[in-house]
Amino acid sequence: GALRPPLSTMMSLGRYLGRCKGFPLSSTFCLPSTSSSSSACATTATFHSPTSLVLVNKATARPFQTQSAFSKLEVEVGGSCLSLESQQRGWQAISAVRAAQDNTSLIAALASCSSSSEGKMYVRVNEGSSTRNQSLEAQQTLGTSTATIPLILGKVFEKEFNYPFQNTMVLDLSLLETGVAHLGAMCINATSLALYSTLFRGESPIGAVSVALVEDEVVVSPNIEQIENAAMNMIYAGREGAPVYFHASGKMSSENLASALQVADKEVSQLAGLLQKYIDDNADHNEVELLAQKDLVAMARIRDFIDDDICSFIASQNFSLLELDTGMSQLQSKCSDYFRKIGAFRSPIVKVPGSGCVTKGELNLAFDESVKDAIIKRMASKKKRVDGRDFLDVRQTHFDTEKSGMCATDKGGTKIISTVSISTTSRSRKTFESIHNLAITAAPSHLRETRHVKALEYELLQLGLKSNLVVEKALSPILPEFSEFPYYIKAKCQGLSLDGSFPTANVCGLSISLASTGIPLESHIAGVSAGILNQEEAGPIIILDPIDAEERLVDGLVMLTSADTDLITSASVEGVKSNISLDAVLQALDSAMAGNKDILKSMNKICPLDSNPNQGSSYRKITIPKASTGKVIGPGGSNIKNIEALTGALVSVQDKDGAVSVSVYGDGVESCESALRMVKKAAGIGPELEKGKAYKVNVTKILDYGAIVEIEDGVEGWIHISEIKHGRVKNVNEELCVGQALHVICIGRNARGQPQMSLKASIKGSKQS
């Protein structure tokens, strides 16, 4: 009673005791108030469950934090049961959702940070040491490691996360038990229930499932064995009849992908309906008001001022990247200067809604809406896009591969340099890395004027992370297994300028870089994106290869990568701003598939896989006897280091299932062949010698009891002193000398497996002179 702990200490105590399994479900204890003036104002702490704490001030009987326990929702998803249990809370902790499915369980907690008023949503993932290794395994299959969960959630809830909040919001995901198959879908379902039962109540919730294609059969909620044997793995999220996000990777045909999407859409529609019913059944709880309401008066005032100018500008001509950015920047500056001049520009903190004053955020939002309406109007009237292309035209892509392992890609305003390096040791866990040396001066002027430099750098970083996920899933199916190509591949991309379609252009450039490095690929992979643009009085417009301005305005963005064998390696939908239909998504996928064919023709022409004139690297692999492994490696790897230093090639020795293989990778055919000869020499491997056949050899070394000769390709043979000539030989140096060319006959191999040659057998009864 003398400690008088503050409120923060009480909350920490509650969280600790809630984790104690032996703590009673309901118990009460009393602590005196921090105020010494009245002993009646004591604080009572009541624990109603292992994870909740209620603090009540006795003087006013007002709860500092209130809770409402909901019923549990259990849904049959495929062959497993998904369990969701929500608990609405007050004060800073808004809601908490516990999700469990098979051997995976997590808690999603949504909280408001009143000390910060940035109005943004942040995602934090917490995992224990027991789940870390399992999440790495998940990254290799469905891409749902802790590093990719915030990225996936940002794509699924892009509209919700970008909503202007009154306070900074934090979504905390605590992984209790981490399985492999359902982690990504469970995080989406738990987050959806936490958001739509509180902040966004009244809107349709989002459901998600994981899907696999096993032996041409679509499996919902697959287990680990099915995931490993699947031709395709996919996470699908959406509302009833409206996809929001999906990402599929593997090797699949367009028919199999369409079938999997239809099955996933049916399951997700059913799950979203049950989530909606679960929320409606608990609608008696108060809704949390933390959303900043849109000021319709300010939006209308901005649109009235800027709409005519933007429509006239967009309809005037066909634009290049520089012309469009310059014109948009001038119009946005004109709008901002006007409201500053008349004194109607305000900070969000002091602005009064409905007063006619505008903020910077409202100006940017109204400007984007006006640009979108103007572009749609131009497309509907002229049947052309802002750069003059037809809806299904793909920008011409130029590839330059002057150097092995490097490709420069130029696709309109998007310029990328892709490089690939090979090593025998893993220096980094990141296989694919996208960075941007895009200088701030090279960025569009309206971005420089309206956004802070750090914000632009953060956007480029997020763009690089998104590109990594797309590139890795697109190229992994065509890369050789580590047992076949035992080297670590490091792919790096530098974006010099960006004007849309960055991840797909990155896939094309890296595919050429991988091939020019000498990595044995099954086929080239090309990628293209397609935008879905809804119309009020007509069907959606599908535009291929959108530029940056179009990507920001479309209602959904589809990305597809495929090989020249018509197999799809990855497909995704993201950036959904309004409801799009599954039929529109399938139509966009078909258009992207057709657009990829032209790109693949250019790639096969500049870098053919069968006979590539720019391919300066070479790769060879041989099998050696297990007994010769030590001779090839040498003490402490000295022999391999010597071979690599002399030839410049990389040598890797792999022992798998009792068979020892040696892989040699060099910058050129000559270095590779030279290293291969040295490996064969160390292992004692030569051409298959036929017993009784004559060979031409050179003497390389004289010994007291014979001579060592080089047969061919650096392979050494042995001539014993008794096989030099007919009769007795007193001194070998008197009969042979180093460098002497001889015609000998193979008489077999000695006990060490070394070829045994005979000089006297070729003399046929005559004496050696």
Side-chain angles (χ1 to χ4, degrees), residues 310-324:
I310 290 181
C311 285
S312 301
F313 174 74
I314 294 296
S316 61
Q317 61 178 356
N318 299 329
F319 299 96
S320 64
L321 172 63
L322 181 61
E323 293 171 342
L324 184 62

Side-chain angles (χ1 to χ4, degrees), residues 140-142 180-181 210-235 247-253 256 260 473 476-477 481 568-569:
Q140 300 172 0
T141 55
L142 289 178
V180 176
S210 56
V211 176
L213 183 66
V214 183
E215 297 179 353
D216 294 334
E217 182 181 354
V218 181
V219 179
V220 180
S221 298
N223 54 38
I224 179 61
E225 183 179 355
Q226 291 171 330
I227 289 176
E228 292 176 349
N229 299 325
M232 177 209 68
N233 288 307
M234 176 171 67
I235 295 179
H247 192 285
S249 61
K251 292 182 181 179
M252 69 207 100
S253 64
N256 288 337
K473 295 301 179 183
S476 294
E481 297 290 337
I568 299 173
T569 59

Side-chain angles (χ1 to χ4, degrees), residues 333-355:
S333 298
K334 176 183 176 181
C335 183
S336 177
D337 293 342
Y338 169 76
F339 286 101
R340 291 181 187 275
K341 185 177 180 180
I342 64 175
F345 207 85
R346 293 287 187 275
S347 168
I349 301 176
V350 301
K351 182 204 165 182
V352 178
S355 62

